[in-house]
Amino acid sequence: MELSEQKQIRRESLEGLRKMGIDPYPPDLYAVNATTCEILEKFPLDASLFQDVSIAGRIMARRIMGGASFVEIQDSTGKIQLYFKRDELCPGEDKELYNTVFKRYLDIGDIIGVKGFVFITKMGEVTIHVKEYKLLSKSLRPLPIVKEKEDQVFDAFTDPEQRYRQRYLDLIVNPHVREAFIKRTEMVNSMRRFLNEHRYLEVETPILQPLYGGAAARPFVTHHNTLDLKLYLRIANELYLKRLIVGGFDGVYEFSKDFRNEGMDRFHNPEFTQMELYVAYKDYEWMMSLVEEMVERIALDLHGTTAITVGDNVIDFKRPWKRISMYGIIQEYTGEDISDLDEKTLVTLAKKLNVETDPTMGRGKIIDALFGTLCEPHLIQPTFITDYPIEMSPLAKKHRSKPGLVERFEAICNGKEICNAFSELNDPIDQRQRFELQMELGKRGDSESMVLDEDFLRALEFGMPPTAGLGIGIDRLAMIMTNSPSIQDVLFFPQMRPEVR
RNA sequence: CUCUCCGUAGCUCAGCCGGUAGAGCAGUUGACUCUUAAUCAACGGGUCCCAGGUUCGAGUCCUGGCGGGGAGACCA
């Protein structure tokens, strides 16, 4: 491999250090007793603190003025300035530790540990006066250089391809990226705390499944050698979690990576995270209240307020959220009452409203198309849409009073679905018929139709209590909670084509 | 899959009507013992994404491909 000039020079520095007896990758731990954030916060209030401080981090900038230098290092909490003075680091005749090791062989990107005391410079900046330093790891590649002054950023590292492929660089150089991912984790923690407070049991179910189910999607296929068995990566957890409700748990939930072999865009990654929750003896009305309470709590935990800025909008998660039926919202946006319209009339209506349909679409799909194009994009504030056509929901229970509908809701927010829930279908005979209907669709060429799961039906036949179920898209919710326009901004390593070298 | 924009130094970008590659930062060397986008001086650094084509001559024009962004299609 041919090395660029800068890489070559760094390798020469590495050799130079070794010749001087300095291990560029020392094995022992480096004891740290403070973080940059702590120092910056507390020192201005009490200057007697941090007089014997030990800290470690990556060199982000160097300003060398002959016999004295300022260096910025960054740890996981932020950046702080260091002050190196030649005659203090090297009190005797031998000035190598400053002139050669520090000035010549150290670079931006190297990781060092320093000990010293904190003071404030003439310019008023909290700074560590370094009494000793140690190289902890030598960097052999030049880092992207981002500079800033008074909140203005210069030469920002913005190329999306490099940011996603080399996320570590993005994290080193763009502090807001780290913030977003920390927020995501806090969001998951908040949700988990909420669920645990309710005494629901966090469980794990198989990712490798001989039959996939629980959603309408195309799966990834793999193969197990010993069993010589075709296996699918799960597209949803639903059917396994319901088996656990049959088994007698009152409430189970799982944070799960699911996999769908479909298109990718700003809202879709082939692998994504869902949280699914199933609670016995509850229904979808009850679940709506739980979702409101949970998401409101998350917003408060993350932002201290229920009102969150997302793009150009402020979204308020304060309870209660608007609840409206599918027919109701379509009437609101089109003025048409479609509740009694048959398929033929609906096709005519769709044409009139410039919504595309095709002959394979049944009544349910047409209604979904009307909703998806005419209503959903306008729903910015959190809104529950309830009571979906039965054709689109083969795992949901028939509506208690409205024929042709099921007891299902989705929460829409910022023009996108954030969760999907229903009163779970626990009538095994009805469930079998719905599966059979799906198999029919499959035979007609619907690649996303569900397959019949005989073991799941067997479980239902033993009896499942009435149950409310919920699936909530963690990535989608994280996008909202971190004000990220793309799913790639809330996934550390979004799927990419392999890099050609 | 379709449309569209982009791909030039480690990073951010300029490069006109086609005439043989440029800046800032970063790097190297030197000066500078409280700087902060440090400063000053000098220097080095390029598979212009890849492959063809047109042309005396291509970073630039054309065709195809690769990679990425955005929009749509499909899809939750």
Side-chain angles (χ1 to χ4, degrees), chain A residues 198-201 241 244-253 277-282 286-287 465-468:
Chain A
H198 286 71
R199 312 252 168 209
Y200 305 138
L201 185 71
L241 291 173
L244 296 181
I245 297 294
V246 170
F249 292 108
D250 279 333
V252 290
Y253 73 91
L277 168 69
Y278 293 83
V279 185
Y281 310 113
K282 307 294 185 191
W286 175 91
M287 186 62 90
T467 297

Side-chain angles (χ1 to χ4, degrees), chain A residues 83-100:
Chain A
Y83 179 60
F84 285 71
K85 195 171 180 180
R86 181 199 284 149
D87 294 338
E88 287 189 26
L89 284 163
C90 315
E93 283 301 296
D94 180 7
K95 304 293 186 193
E96 271 209 325
L97 190 60
Y98 182 87
N99 285 344
T100 311

Side-chain angles (χ1 to χ4, degrees), chain A residues 109-172:
Chain A
D110 291 351
I111 294 167
I112 60 170
V114 303
K115 296 185 200 306
F117 61 88
V118 178
F119 73 111
I120 293 183
T121 64
K122 284 176 189 164
M123 301 299 287
E125 178 149 352
V126 175
T127 300
I128 300 174
H129 191 120
V130 176
K131 287 157 80 175
E132 36 176 299
Y133 73 91
K134 181 179 182 184
L135 175 62
L136 301 179
S137 181
K138 180 77 194 143
S139 165
L140 296 181
R141 284 174 185 262
L143 222 50
I145 304 291
V146 180
K147 299 225 170 189
E148 52 195 293
K149 184 184 191 179
E150 284 150 16
D151 292 334
Q152 264 184 287
V153 177
F154 300 85
D155 300 335
F157 181 64
T158 52
D159 177 22
E161 181 169 358
Q162 289 195 80
R163 287 185 47 221
Y164 301 148
R165 285 194 199 280
Q166 295 177 264
R167 181 67 89 181
Y168 39 89
L169 288 183
D170 195 27
L171 288 164
I172 290 169

